[in-house]
Amino acid sequence: MIGSIRLHPARGLTVTAVLVTAGLLAVGIVSVSSATPPGPRMTDNVRPSGARAAVERFLGQAVPGAAITGPDRGLFRQTYKVETPDFTALVDAFDGRVVYFLNAPGQLIHGASARTFDPVEIATRVLTEHRGAMPGVKPTVTRADHGALQLIEVTWQRTSGAIRLPDMRRVVLDAETGAVISYMNDQLPYADPPTTAVTQEQAEQTALAACGLSHPSVTRAQLLVTFDSTTGAQVLVWRVDVFDESVPAAAEVEVDAVTGVGTVTGRG
Amino acid sequence: MNHLPGRLSRPSSDWRPLLRHVSATAIAGLVVLSAGLSPSVAEATVVHSPPWADSFGAKWDGTNGLDTRASALWMKTKLGAKGYTAYTANGYAASTSMGSSYAQSDAVWAMFGHADRGFITQYAGSTSTVLHAVPNGTLYSCSSPHACLSNYGGGKISKMKLMVFGGCYTALAGNDSLPYSADLGIVATQADGVSTAVGFDSEIFWPPMDKWSEVFFGDLAAGHDVSHALILAADQAAISNGGNYGGTNYFDMFGSTTTTVVPAGYGS
């Protein structure tokens, strides 16, 4: 049981039985009427049993002892947490998709290929096994230095020119062994973004003026499609981070890349 | 300088601050006497049963003020349910946070606030008070209301399992040309004997940090180790915030990667 529910980098997962029938799926997913949600995906369509079924489909086997909590309300989606001592999974409460899977450290696989593994090969296999592949998108490999914890992140990020789109996959590996730590399939439905009318330089100037800090400087800026946290409407923004060493304080400002309006969305 | 802000407004049923205020010194003396320890050991962590856990947050004045109190509250909520005598301190001075009634009695300690390389601040009495990694001599002092982490060696906080510095760049050492050089996490784990310390090597932003704190302390309370909790907290913060990590993925860990905090107890 324990071994077979891992995201195994070498052996992969084999679906040996159809554990989740169409009938079970139908039982797990219901239509729920609620007050007008702030976004198109905030409706809780999935029951806890549906979240469990989603994880069982993901793994190809039953998880009878799993604890299920939620849904937990985020900005643009709600998620159920499905958890056993061996893994933690997050399931989108709107469509029943597994958006995240984390292996418990004690269940990590230390394969014989340690120190000679190919992170892209392992991560690609994990994505393919879980129907998360992104054909046409080239992965990037990043060493994530967390001090005493060293990881390798293999990321597929869909873009449109310089615009980051809300469609990303990531597989994280132990940097020493190649063991699969986590899997993320983070995607939200979006329309083709509009033409950018605001340059990065203009956006940075707007952010510096809007942040409310006395001596700010820009630390990073990124053009991306996201959603309005109040209405759920799609927006194209420059997300600009600034830092003021004199306080010290940080601010995150989103500048609408069409209208040029800046809004402080985070403080630190 | 009020070292005990907010205590008069606490619910009468909350006995713990009173215990701390009145008898922490007496308890420390009793522990030393009953154990027959030498004077040099008298400065060791004051061990309580149940063990203590403290988190520090603040709301800075002004329309652009940062508010970290919710992040601090999550530690109390999650660890208080797992056998700790957990307390959330809002608007306390840095020196108070390191005192015998707080850090020197704690198994778990967390602070959320404005920060930069080598220091983190708390807003107390309309003043930003600073916890430096090391003494600096010129820019700030180590005297109340400020404090220097390196002054708490000699066993004073060595039974602390986990110390969290929830602020921008807290995982980085100060510029050596500035008075606040050295790294909070390194001082905590290597000089002061704390089992594990956590900081960040980039800007971090609220509100994503509130979700980070909820998930981090929740996962620790569920029995996972600090590595698992850090990975899950960052990823779930991103999923909850439409793919925006808010800097939480720039966590750094110092000391042991396998520290757990349940069952409730002190470190060795």
Side-chain angles (χ1 to χ4, degrees), chain A:
Chain A
M1 173 66 181
I2 291 175
S4 62
I5 64 172
R6 298 168 179 165
L7 287 169
H8 199 295
R11 287 183 288 128
L13 292 169
T14 302
V15 179
T16 56
V18 179
L19 297 170
V20 183
T21 64
L24 180 59
L25 181 64
V27 168
I29 300 180
V30 296
S31 294
V32 176
S33 297
S34 63
T36 304
R41 296 178 64 82
M42 293 302 285
T43 307
D44 177 10
N45 289 327
V46 178
R47 288 176 173 167
S49 60
R52 178 202 307 273
V55 173
E56 290 177 335
R57 287 194 302 276
F58 180 85
L59 294 171
Q61 67 179 82
V63 287
I68 305 169
T69 56
D72 181 71
R73 190 179 182 84
L75 276 182
F76 311 124
R77 64 154 63 96
Q78 300 183 87
T79 55
Y80 284 98
K81 179 180 287 184
V82 181
E83 194 166 25
T84 76
D86 302 320
F87 70 83
T88 301
L90 301 178
V91 177
D92 192 314
F94 180 80
D95 60 11
R97 185 169 46 84
V98 174
V99 294
Y100 184 68
F101 191 95
L102 173 63
N103 272 308
Q107 306 306 324
L108 296 180
I109 297 107
H110 299 278
S113 61
R115 300 182 192 284
T116 59
F117 62 88
D118 178 345
V120 173
E121 188 273 332
I122 294 171
T124 301
R125 187 185 308 148
V126 170
L127 275 197
T128 302
E129 289 165 356
H130 297 287
R131 295 183 290 279
M134 292 178 76
V137 178
K138 186 177 180 181
T140 58
V141 180
T142 306
R143 177 83 173 221
D145 180 356
H146 297 296
L149 182 65
Q150 296 290 316
L151 305 175
I152 291 176
E153 298 176 349
V154 184
T155 304
W156 285 259
Q157 175 63 63
R158 194 176 299 281
T159 59
S160 174
I163 301 170
R164 194 184 83 182
L165 301 171
D167 189 4
M168 183 271 276
R169 315 283 187 276
R170 176 172 291 153
V171 175
V172 177
L173 311 174
D174 182 303
E176 294 299 315
T177 66
V180 177
I181 304 289
S182 67
Y183 161 97
M184 184 184 290
N185 181 346
D186 190 13
Q187 51 180 308
L188 293 166
Y190 61 91
D192 288 341
T195 302
T196 305
V198 177
T199 67
Q200 179 172 340
E201 183 177 2
Q202 291 170 330
E204 291 179 357
Q205 291 305 314
T206 299
L208 291 170
C211 69
L213 301 172
S214 56
H215 299 92
S217 58
V218 174
T219 55
R220 70 174 68 85
Q222 188 168 43
L223 183 62
L224 70 152
V225 167
T226 184
F227 303 89
D228 185 289
S229 61
T230 303
T231 65
Q234 179 178 322
V235 288
L236 175 65
V237 301
W238 286 98
R239 181 175 290 155
V240 183
D241 294 346
V242 303
F243 191 68
D244 183 344
E245 286 189 334
S246 69
V247 179
E252 182 182 83
V253 183
E254 288 188 351
V255 180
D256 191 303
V258 176
T259 67
V261 174
T263 305
V264 176
T265 53
R267 295 211 172 270

Side-chain angles (χ1 to χ4, degrees), chain A residues 72-77 79 81 83-85 87-88 90 99-100 102-105 145-149 151 164 168 170 172 181-182 184 186 188 211-213 219-220 226 239 241-243 245 247-252 254 265-268, chain B residues 63-66 113-117 119 121 128 140 168-169 180 201-208 211 214-215 219 222 224-225 227-228 230-232 235-236 238-247 249-257:
Chain A
D72 181 71
R73 190 179 182 84
L75 276 182
F76 311 124
R77 64 154 63 96
T79 55
K81 179 180 287 184
E83 194 166 25
T84 76
F87 70 83
T88 301
L90 301 178
V99 294
Y100 184 68
L102 173 63
N103 272 308
D145 180 356
H146 297 296
L149 182 65
L151 305 175
R164 194 184 83 182
M168 183 271 276
R170 176 172 291 153
V172 177
I181 304 289
S182 67
M184 184 184 290
D186 190 13
L188 293 166
C211 69
L213 301 172
T219 55
R220 70 174 68 85
T226 184
R239 181 175 290 155
D241 294 346
V242 303
F243 191 68
E245 286 189 334
V247 179
E252 182 182 83
E254 288 188 351
T265 53
R267 295 211 172 270
Chain B
T63 55
N64 298 318
L66 176 66
H114 286 307
D116 201 349
R117 295 163 175 79
F119 69 92
T121 71
S128 276
Y140 302 108
C168 302
Y169 298 109
Y180 42 80
D201 58 14
S202 178
E203 298 100 359
I204 57 172
F205 296 101
W206 279 261
K211 174 57 70 175
E214 175 189 357
V215 176
D219 202 52
H224 293 293
D225 68 17
S227 298
H228 188 277
L230 283 169
I231 294 170
L232 180 64
D235 287 339
Q236 193 167 345
I239 289 168
S240 181
N241 285 280
N244 182 7
Y245 280 91
N249 54 327
Y250 290 101
F251 64 84
D252 264 8
M253 184 168 27
F254 304 85
S256 172
T257 61

